[in-house]
Amino acid sequence: MENLSTVIGSKGLIKRNEFVRILIQCLYSLDYEKSAACLELESGISCKSAELKLLESLVLSADWEGCIDSLYGIRDMTDEQRDAALFLVSQQCLLESLGRGDDSLALSLLRKQISKLQVGREQVHKLAFSLFSPEELGLNKIHEDGDVFQKLRRNLINELEKLLPPPITVPDGRLEHLVEKVVGSQIDSCIYHNSLDPVSIYKDHRCGRDQIPTETVQILSDHKNEVWFVQFSNNGNFLASSSSDCTAIIWKVLEDCELVLKHTLSSHQNPVSFVAWSPDDTMLLTCGNSEVLRLWDVETGTCKHTFGDSGFLVSSCAWFPSSKQLVCGSSDPKKGICMWDCEGNETKAWRGVRMPKVSDIAVTPNGENLISIFSDKDIRILNVGTNVERVISEEHPITSLSVSGDSNYLIVNLNSQEIHMWDIEGSWEKPLTYKGHKQHKYVIRSCFGGVNSMFIASGSEDSQVYIWNRRSSDPIEVLSGHLMTVNSVSWNPRRHQMLASASDDQTIRIWGPNRSEKTKLI
């Protein structure tokens, strides 16, 4: 017989009998029944506790009073767990009474025992209904299948196991849960983790710098003036850029991750400072502080529609998930915020003398929230469905806004040389803060990126690109290469190791992993 006090492991924290018992349960769950039984025999440790074996025998022999006494004798059960277990046992007794035609006993159980348990009323009502419609519970099949009671009792045992506390039972998947907790903890502490692939449990997990973009792999120099904005398409197959040369460019991302020019969009008369991809990536919006809003066909590169007139100037724009409705904000307080369909029909608007100027705008990918930057320092979060509005006030002017792919978080760049991350739901009292980049007087944009949006990247006035792991306020990488201010960055949402940056040096740099790094994903 195994000594219950024996411990294993270098720190003496693991009880040997518990460890072996969990191993046995895991073997049974993987259908290695012979191996599990062999380990039980050799170790003298049973996967099932004595209490569970007793309860199992009482259920199989239909000793319902014994079952009830046994449940009352189990310690460490909450009242809720015990009532739920007693309900299951009483339900089985009632069903078998109905199956034998003993309706009076079934009715007595329902009135005197089951109705007193603290369980959902719906469950009790369903049982009461079964007194009049036994076929609803399959009791009409009893005469067709003589083993139906045994099957129901086996099911009852399985359900009771889920309610009984350890160590009477071992929770399902306990070993897998413990291993996943350890692996998850190691991934959480790995500042470079950027992969969806399963990790090996043979060694402790640690990623190297080669998991994120850290070196220039391509320089795009087709713009003729400062490049102010870049954004990858939602499918990661295109990149759009806009420039003070009054053009926007659509780039195609090839299979080998090289980018080639697809279309130059040339209808604007003034600098283009913002672009927005439709969720289905078939259309692109372009606008600027001194420009109208234009809608482009991505495949042909033709302008499909111009919104408003020369007096309607748009500072930023965004799409709703359907790709049939868009929203734009204006730095002119008289214009406010407008919602349009793709044919140019205005569907909703917020404007008036009390409407503050809008410097940036975004819609969460799930379409639930419209987020805008008002009066330089206020973040307005409007739930589109409920019209409930929440305002977050920053102490310093906000220059840009970005939303995470899971719709849970937003980041804003401040001219105080900080980036703040807020949760959109509103449970945080204070934001997470990221520092290190330089920002005093220009509009600098940041973005989420990587697997599960676990990284933040930002441009900077010192001509560098900064990358943070979301869990740390200090940058993990500073990327050099540009010669002037980096205005905007975009992380490819499908190719998690590709980043684009736009600069006043008239170039776009595409960043990828440094393949010379020796540290590999473990």
Side-chain angles (χ1 to χ4, degrees), residues 413 419 437 444-447 456-460 464-466 468 489:
N413 278 58
I419 297 171
H437 65 301
I444 301 295
R445 297 185 180 276
S446 57
C447 70
I456 293 172
S458 177
S460 177
Q464 301 186 104
V465 176
Y466 287 75
W468 295 262
V489 292

Side-chain angles (χ1 to χ4, degrees), residues 273 287-293 312-317 328-331:
S273 60
C287 62
N289 284 324
S290 301
E291 261 295 343
V292 294
L293 177 67
F312 185 73
L313 305 180
V314 178
S315 59
S316 58
C317 51
C328 58
S330 176
S331 56

Side-chain angles (χ1 to χ4, degrees), residues 248-266:
I249 294 178
I250 297 176
W251 310 84
K252 172 67 175 174
V253 182
L254 302 180
E255 288 298 321
D256 62 359
C257 293
E258 182 182 357
L259 276 72
V260 296
L261 191 150
K262 181 177 177 67
H263 298 298
T264 299
L265 314 179
S266 314

Side-chain angles (χ1 to χ4, degrees), residues 323-340:
S323 294
K324 296 179 180 178
Q325 199 169 36
L326 55 103
V327 61
C328 58
S330 176
S331 56
D332 182 352
K334 296 179 182 179
K335 306 301 181 182
I337 296 176
C338 293
M339 289 175 61
W340 308 73

Side-chain angles (χ1 to χ4, degrees), residues 491-504:
W491 207 303
N492 193 306
R494 293 293 180 265
R495 296 168 172 86
H496 297 303
Q497 296 177 342
M498 177 182 287
L499 178 72
S501 58
S503 171
D504 283 350

